[in-house]
Amino acid sequence: MLLTVPHNPADKVAQWAFLTAIATISLQWIPALGLPGAQVSDALFLVAGVAVLFSSHKLIRVARGDQAWLGLFVVGVVASAVINGGSYIKLLGHLELVTVLLLAATLGQDQKIASRIKQALIWMGILAAVTGLLGAVLYFAGCETRLLNHFGDLLPGNYPRVRGTCIKVNMLATIIATGLIMLWDEDKRTLLGRYRLIVTLLLLSGLLFTFSRTWLTVGCGLLALRALHTPGPRRVLLATVSLVAVSALLLVSARYTISLDPTHFWQASIRSDPATRWVIWGDSLESLKANPFWGKGPGSPATSSGWSAHLSWLNIWVVLGLAPLCAFVAGTYRVLVRYRFEMGAVVAVGVILLDGLARDVEDMRHLWVLMGLVLVPRPQRT
C-alpha cells in the first residue's frame, strides 16, 4: 500500500492515519484516549480527522438525500442522549461513526486513495484472522489466552471460539468476512490480488474457528459478488435463492435452539424451548413500549437484563429512538442501490446487514467506512 508523497504534509498524515486506523479496527483490547471503550483505531481516526482539516482535501459534499439521513441520525442520537441522559461517551462514539463515513468519502474522492482504503479493509481482515488463528494454535498447545472465548448459543454452550483481539467473536467474524469480500473485488494485478487464493485460505481458516453464522452470510456475499461481476440468469438466481434461504434460516434460528456440539455436528437436534434471541427480542419489545420515540439513550442496554437486542434495527429503535432508525434504514438503502458503482463495498455492506438479523452491527466502524466509500460519486463500473 505505497502512497504517493503529497506536497502538503497534512495530506500524508491524514492518509496514513486513516488507512492504519482501518487496518487496526480489530485491535479492540488496547486502550486508547483514556476513554471507556476507546480503541487504537479511534485515536488514529482522530488524528486523520484533524489532519484532513489542515490538508488539501476538500470535504465532500454528499448528495442532498445523504445529507438528510446523516443529519437526521445525528439530531436523533443527540436528542436521545439529552432527553434520556444516556452515556455521552457512547454519544461521542455514534458521532465518530458519522465522522468516519465523511472521512472515507472525503479521502475516497481520490481514486488511488479509495483503492488503498479497500486494501486496508483486506489487511484489517488479515490481521483479525491471524490473531484468531494464533488463539486457536495456543489453545491446542495447551495455553489459554484472551484470544479465545468459551461462549456460544449452540448447545452445549461452553466451547472454544476464536475472537482474536476483538471484544466479541461475532465482531471478529464480520471483520474477516468484510476482508474476504473486498479481497475478491480486488484487482488481480495488485499484490493482494496476485495472492488471492492464499489470503482466502487464511481468512476462511480464521472464520472457521469462530463457529459463527457469518459463514452463511459471507457465502451469500461471494455469490452476489460473482453475479454482479459476471451477470447471468443462473448466477443471479443462485445468489437470490441463497439470500432468501440464509435470511430465513437466521430468523428461524432466532426462534428455535439448535442443540449442537460442533465436534459431533451429526447429532444436532432442535429444542422445543424458545431460543435465547427470541427471548431477548421479546424483552427488547417490552422496552420499546416504554419509550418508542426517543429510545433509552446511547449506551443503554435494549433489555432490562442488560442484553443488546441482537437484531440491529430493533436495537437502534430501542436504544436510540425512531429518528436514528429511520435514518439508518434510509442510509443503508441509499448505499445498497449504488451496487453498480462500488460492487465490492456494497456487497460487504449487504453481508454485514445480513449479519444484523442475528446481532448488532450498526456501530461497527468498518460498516461506516464502507458506506463512506459508496457515497462518493463515481462512474458506473462495467
Side-chain angles (χ1 to χ4, degrees):
M1 270 192 319
L2 295 177
L3 294 177
T4 302
V5 179
H7 296 295
N8 187 341
D11 289 3
K12 184 177 181 180
V13 173
Q15 293 172 29
W16 275 107
F18 193 71
L19 294 174
T20 308
I22 295 170
T24 57
I25 282 176
S26 68
L27 300 180
Q28 299 176 0
W29 289 355
I30 304 173
L33 300 175
L35 299 175
Q39 303 167 12
V40 170
S41 60
D42 298 325
L44 291 168
F45 281 133
L46 177 61
V47 172
V50 173
V52 164
L53 295 177
F54 297 94
S55 72
S56 60
H57 297 286
K58 293 183 179 179
L59 184 64
I60 189 170
R61 289 181 59 86
V62 294
R64 288 185 178 180
D66 297 318
Q67 292 178 24
W69 77 261
L70 285 168
L72 181 61
F73 183 84
V74 170
V75 170
V77 172
V78 171
S80 179
V82 172
I83 292 172
N84 294 288
S87 167
Y88 285 92
I89 296 298
K90 193 64 177 179
L91 170 62
L92 289 176
H94 289 298
L95 298 180
E96 178 196 2
L97 297 175
V98 175
T99 303
V100 167
L101 180 149
L102 293 175
L103 283 173
T106 296
L107 295 173
Q109 293 175 102
D110 184 319
Q111 187 62 56
K112 292 182 179 180
I113 300 177
S115 297
R116 288 157 185 153
I117 291 174
K118 297 173 189 177
Q119 292 170 3
L121 288 163
I122 301 173
W123 286 109
M124 172 192 73
I126 291 172
L127 179 60
V130 168
T131 59
L133 288 173
L134 177 61
V137 170
L138 292 174
Y139 174 78
F140 288 119
C143 181
E144 190 73 30
T145 68
R146 289 185 63 189
L147 300 173
L148 258 71
N149 190 5
H150 286 270
F151 177 80
D153 55 7
L154 301 177
L155 294 178
N158 293 323
Y159 53 89
R161 304 170 67 194
V162 300
R163 66 175 178 183
T165 51
C166 289
I167 296 173
K168 297 179 180 179
V169 172
N170 290 329
M171 174 68 80
L172 180 77
T174 305
I175 288 174
I176 294 175
T178 298
L180 187 59
I181 295 296
M182 299 309 294
L183 174 65
W184 281 89
D185 190 54
E186 177 72 1
D187 191 327
K188 293 182 179 180
R189 294 169 294 182
T190 65
L191 175 65
L192 290 168
R194 290 198 299 270
Y195 293 96
R196 177 185 293 177
L197 292 179
I198 296 175
V199 178
T200 297
L201 181 61
L202 172 67
L203 294 176
L204 288 177
S205 299
L207 186 60
L208 171 66
F209 289 103
T210 64
F211 296 111
S212 170
R213 292 170 174 83
T214 303
W215 261 98
L216 301 174
T217 61
V218 77
C220 284
L222 291 172
L223 289 174
L225 191 61
R226 186 184 182 194
L228 289 175
H229 277 303
T230 52
R234 291 184 179 180
R235 290 180 178 179
V236 172
L237 178 61
L238 180 59
T240 303
V241 170
S242 69
L243 173 62
V244 173
V246 169
S247 299
L249 183 59
L250 290 174
L251 293 173
V252 169
S253 68
R255 169 61 180 87
Y256 299 99
T257 299
I258 301 175
S259 180
L260 170 65
D261 179 349
T263 62
H264 297 79
F265 59 88
W266 56 88
Q267 298 177 358
S269 62
I270 298 178
R271 295 169 58 95
S272 58
D273 53 315
T276 303
R277 278 177 173 78
W278 191 258
V279 175
I280 290 174
W281 289 0
D283 291 346
S284 298
L285 290 173
E286 290 299 320
S287 298
L288 183 62
K289 293 177 183 178
N291 200 341
F293 296 106
W294 305 113
K296 299 178 67 176
S300 302
T303 70
S304 57
S305 56
W307 289 89
S308 62
H310 285 68
L311 177 65
S312 269
W313 300 270
L314 179 58
N315 197 65
I316 296 172
W317 195 356
V318 174
V319 176
L320 301 179
L322 185 58
L325 171 65
C326 293
F328 186 76
V329 170
T332 50
Y333 171 77
R334 289 182 63 85
V335 166
L336 293 175
V337 296
R338 292 181 59 82
Y339 63 89
R340 291 185 179 90
F341 303 90
E342 281 290 356
M343 294 179 184
V346 169
V347 170
V349 168
V351 168
I352 295 174
L353 293 177
L354 195 56
D355 271 344
L357 292 174
R359 64 191 62 134
D360 312 300
V361 301
E362 66 276 2
D363 58 353
M364 292 184 176
R365 292 158 181 80
H366 52 292
L367 170 62
W368 292 77
V369 171
L370 290 163
M371 292 170 67
L373 278 176
V374 176
L375 295 183
V376 178
R378 300 194 191 284
Q380 181 172 322
R381 286 177 58 171
T382 57

